[in-house]
Amino acid sequence: MFPRMIKLRFFFAGIVVLLLSGCSKPVPPRSEFVLATICAIDLYGNGTPQVYHDVFTRLREIESRMSVFVEGSDVDRINKAAGVEAVEVHPDVFNVIERAVYYAELSGGAFDPAVEPLVSLWGIGGENPRVPASEEIERVLPLINWRDIELDRGNKTVFLKRPGMALDLGGIAKGYAADEAAALIKKARIHQAMINIGGNVLTVGEKKDGRPWKIGIQDPMNTHGAYIGFVQTGEKTLVTSGVYERFFVADGARYHHLFSPSLGYPADNGLLSVSIIADVSMDADALSTAVFVLGYEKGRALVESLEGVDAVFVFDDRNIYPTGGIDFTLVDENYRVTGN
Ligand code: ADP
Ligand code: MG
């Protein structure tokens, strides 16, 4: 009698669970404007409102610490204390700056988080971008030097040695944000997700049918979301730096937002975009900017020197060069895949 009641209880409890799970609709994917871009998270029906909420709260937290535009952010405080004193920052910020300096060194200064004076001189991302006079550029160039960023790991402080120096983490922070979103999603035991932080794409787990993910590479000549092709991959990240993301036109010439820190001008080397495929989105983000600025030969050599890192280079003559370790499929016949 007694065991039978227990069985019945389980039976009814089971029905209630079934009914409840049957009634609760899968939570749809969510996108919001954070980190000055569109952030889209898709948990493929396995996400709860709480997980989505936590992920976007984390993204906003990262923005509030790392944006140069947010008054009082850690980066803002570092910049305001340039030439004066070291500033203690949150470990998030310290880690990203440390990694940024690592990539600055690795790329021989092609990637330089101290690029901010150049970015604001050109007014990139602001209301009135302009081509500065060459004397103005000459004046700020000595300030763009990652070697003048002093880091104290024990005290988590950052000191910019010269007055007028300033950091801009725009080339790396979105990658870090994508990694942090993935960490939260995994912690919530969700095994399948697509994270897209303004073009920094990161996949979590496997697709439901066990097939590889397909991550599109945007057509750099068409800003309306058209893809030139896609990369098939397992759990990886794909980050693109391209001339189309932020640019302005003056006297018929186009100027984009990826600067050569040694010349003070947008890097002009025939590339329209560089996509990096790697395991860690922060690394891929820094590398996409670094490799774009380095150009094809040096950039490809850098990519090939790194384990588990691949790249797709897209040129203005519509030639595409993928490196050897990836599965790239072209879909736009206006382009050609030229070599490996
Ligand atoms: P996006 O942010 O458009 O996705 P990137 O990741 O390549 O593309 O970052 C570009 C941003 O990085 C610029 O808007 C600027 O803030 C910053 N930046 C520009 N040139 C450099 C550089 N040489 N090194 C480091 N950061 C740079
Ligand atoms: Mg980048």
Side-chain angles (χ1 to χ4, degrees):
M1 188 75 189
F2 189 62
R4 198 158 153 209
M5 258 182 71
I6 291 185
K7 259 193 209 156
L8 270 176
R9 245 195 238 162
F10 274 118
F11 180 71
F12 284 119
I15 285 186
V16 169
V17 168
L18 272 178
L19 282 175
L20 279 178
S21 59
C23 287
S24 63
K25 278 200 226 121
V27 180
R30 196 163 137 185
S31 357
E32 280 183 28
F33 195 80
V34 198
L35 291 153
T37 191
I38 306 219
C39 300
I41 310 286
D42 192 345
L43 303 175
Y44 296 93
N46 301 314
T48 59
Q50 187 64 45
V51 178
Y52 279 105
H53 172 82
D54 291 348
V55 170
F56 282 97
T57 303
R58 180 77 177 112
L59 296 180
R60 278 190 292 273
E61 183 177 68
I62 291 169
E63 176 177 34
S64 72
R65 290 182 180 141
M66 297 192 199
S67 171
V68 273
F69 305 112
V70 173
E71 180 100 27
S73 74
D74 284 8
V75 169
D76 182 49
R77 291 190 301 113
I78 294 168
N79 292 348
K80 285 188 174 140
V84 181
E85 60 185 0
V87 172
E88 192 181 338
V89 296
H90 190 276
D92 274 345
V93 181
F94 191 87
N95 292 340
V96 171
I97 296 174
E98 198 173 53
R99 204 67 182 151
V101 169
Y102 170 82
Y103 280 106
E105 182 162 17
L106 191 71
S107 66
F111 181 85
D112 193 331
V115 74
E116 202 282 336
L118 214 43
V119 175
S120 52
L121 180 64
W122 283 78
I124 297 287
E127 308 256 292
N128 299 304
R130 66 184 183 94
V131 182
S134 54
E135 307 84 68
E136 293 177 281
I137 291 174
E138 291 304 319
R139 221 175 298 137
V140 301
L141 281 187
L143 297 172
I144 321 290
N145 191 348
W146 60 274
R147 287 193 173 82
D148 291 329
I149 305 170
E150 208 170 82
L151 298 177
D152 180 337
R153 170 151 265 283
N155 293 314
K156 296 272 181 292
T157 62
V158 182
F159 177 45
L160 306 181
K161 288 191 194 159
R162 291 161 175 261
M165 276 181 80
L167 300 182
D168 176 342
L169 302 180
I172 189 168
K174 289 197 288 293
Y176 180 71
D179 293 328
E180 288 298 294
L184 275 181
I185 289 164
K186 285 181 184 170
K187 210 169 135 204
R189 296 181 189 283
I190 292 169
H191 302 298
Q192 186 191 34
M194 172 80 89
I195 298 159
N196 187 343
I197 311 290
N200 284 235
V201 175
L202 180 55
T203 59
V204 172
E206 281 193 345
K207 280 183 81 182
K208 235 181 211 127
D209 50 14
R211 282 200 300 227
W213 297 95
K214 287 181 181 177
I215 310 178
I217 294 183
Q218 195 177 319
D219 178 357
M221 296 196 189
N222 178 345
T223 46
H224 301 295
Y227 292 112
I228 54 173
F230 57 86
V231 168
Q232 297 203 72
T233 146
E235 191 173 77
K236 279 274 186 182
T237 183
L238 185 147
V239 178
T240 302
S241 284
V243 297
Y244 55 87
E245 200 62 55
R246 276 194 197 131
F247 66 90
F248 67 97
V249 178
D251 295 329
R254 266 177 71 124
Y255 299 92
H256 61 78
H257 70 321
L258 304 163
F259 290 101
S260 158
S262 56
L263 301 175
Y265 286 83
D268 184 12
N269 51 28
L271 283 169
L272 291 181
S273 75
V274 172
S275 300
I276 300 287
I277 298 93
D279 294 312
V280 178
S281 205
M282 172 161 61
D283 293 342
D285 196 2
L287 278 170
S288 71
T289 312
V291 169
F292 188 101
V293 173
L294 281 172
Y296 180 65
E297 260 108 54
K298 286 185 185 160
R300 181 161 185 153
L302 175 58
V303 167
E304 287 178 343
S305 75
L306 300 170
E307 186 72 30
V309 179
D310 275 283
V312 177
F313 297 84
V314 181
F315 279 89
D316 55 9
D317 62 4
R318 297 179 188 265
N319 280 314
I320 300 175
Y321 294 77
T323 58
I326 42 159
D327 183 352
F328 174 75
T329 305
L330 184 70
V331 294
D332 184 338
E333 56 200 30
N334 295 310
Y335 288 84
R336 1 171 226 285
V337 177
T338 304
N340 258 329

